[in-house]
Amino acid sequence: MDTQPLPQALFALHESSESWVFMFDADDRLRYANPAYWAAARLQPQDGLTWAGIMRANHAHRQGLVIETDDIELWLATVASRRGKQPYRCFEVDTHDGRWFWVSETLSPEGWLLCIGTEITALRQDVRSLRQARDKALRAARTDSMTGLANRGHALTQLRQALDNPDAAPLCVALLDLDHFKLINDSLGHAAGDAVITDFCRHMLACTRREDMCARLGGEEFLLMLPHADLEQA
């Protein structure tokens, strides 16, 4: 009878699995990845990598995970509006070697994110294309196209759900407005105004947690939802 301890056996199975097994902590730093994930991401095992850093590296070198965008920061903001906001979610990813993976994310109460990737390359292409088109349309309906943040409709839906969810307490909500923004548009033009809004959003994302919801309500008005934060923390 095999007397190998369960944690050791589980670790050995993860290490030998052809599926991806990887985990991020609450600060979105990669804390564990099995060899299959490192090989797919085309990265050498190392400490201190963040999710955003891995995505930037894959996009810059056109290797590992396929990221179809001309603006990686906008793409990161768009994904961040969904990432780590639900206890469980699934999505598809492609790799540059032509494979497709179905990835699940499971969020712990402490903010750790366990990710499992299973190869689905054998699925029919026509069915997959329809599903991808549906998913892209759904993301577009929830996202502000200029900043990548959640849009007004999606943000208010998430806010209503958080207010009804006792596990989100304490919950703080901030409404933000950029003062005298009209002066920028009037004196420098709308392109400059768009650049200011985009830059502001990237600063806001950089100083918020993965579980926080950043949204553009419209124009220069924004909403910031902070679950598990009291007024002093907010």
Side-chain angles (χ1 to χ4, degrees):
M1 186 179 202
D2 190 355
T3 58
Q4 186 179 31
L6 179 59
Q8 184 178 344
L10 184 61
F11 178 76
L13 285 170
H14 286 169
E15 287 289 289
S16 62
S17 176
E18 294 184 7
S19 295
W20 304 344
V21 182
F22 53 109
M23 184 181 299
F24 293 90
D25 65 17
D27 295 323
D28 239 353
R29 295 192 177 277
L30 186 65
R31 299 294 294 271
Y32 170 76
N34 70 344
Y37 177 78
W38 287 117
R42 299 291 297 275
L43 294 169
Q44 293 297 318
Q46 54 187 291
D47 294 330
L49 282 177
T50 64
W51 168 77
I54 295 170
M55 297 301 101
R56 289 189 182 102
N58 279 189
H59 181 260
H61 300 296
R62 297 296 190 269
Q63 63 184 26
L65 308 185
V66 175
I67 301 174
E68 297 179 348
T69 183
D70 295 325
D71 187 340
I72 184 60
E73 298 305 320
L74 177 61
W75 185 90
L76 289 171
T78 301
V79 177
S81 69
R82 304 184 301 275
R83 179 176 167 78
K85 306 297 189 296
Q86 300 172 327
Y88 182 82
R89 76 178 184 118
C90 295
F91 53 91
E92 294 179 35
V93 298
D94 296 355
T95 61
H96 278 281
D97 60 9
R99 294 182 296 162
W100 312 333
F101 281 80
W102 181 255
V103 178
S104 66
E105 290 182 347
T106 304
L107 183 67
S108 78
E110 296 77 25
W112 286 60
L113 205 58
L114 171 65
C115 308
I116 308 290
T118 304
E119 187 172 359
I120 56 171
T121 309
L123 290 181
R124 289 175 54 193
Q125 174 64 40
D126 55 349
V127 175
R128 184 172 186 267
S129 297
L130 288 173
R131 188 168 59 253
Q132 285 183 318
R134 177 207 62 195
D135 291 345
K136 287 181 179 179
L138 184 59
R139 287 196 296 270
R142 296 174 173 177
T143 305
D144 175 64
S145 59
M146 186 175 79
T147 64
L149 301 185
N151 61 20
R152 181 187 185 92
H154 183 50
L156 295 181
T157 297
Q158 293 295 103
L159 178 58
R160 283 193 292 269
Q161 292 177 355
L163 291 173
D164 292 335
N165 179 12
D167 292 335
L171 172 69
C172 277
V173 178
L175 295 176
L176 311 176
D177 183 274
L178 303 185
D179 290 340
H180 311 300
F181 183 76
K182 187 174 183 298
L183 292 176
I184 297 174
N185 282 335
D186 291 345
S187 59
L188 299 176
H190 288 278
D194 290 349
V196 168
I197 286 177
T198 301
D199 186 66
F200 168 76
C201 291
R202 289 175 181 170
H203 282 291
M204 183 165 60
L205 283 170
C207 65
T208 52
R209 304 165 302 171
R210 186 178 59 205
E211 63 184 313
D212 299 331
M213 168 66 74
C214 301
R216 185 185 182 199
L217 299 180
E220 69 276 20
E221 298 178 347
F222 303 88
L223 179 145
L224 186 59
M225 189 169 66
L226 308 169
H228 310 124
D230 58 25
L231 188 59
E232 183 178 357
Q233 289 173 304

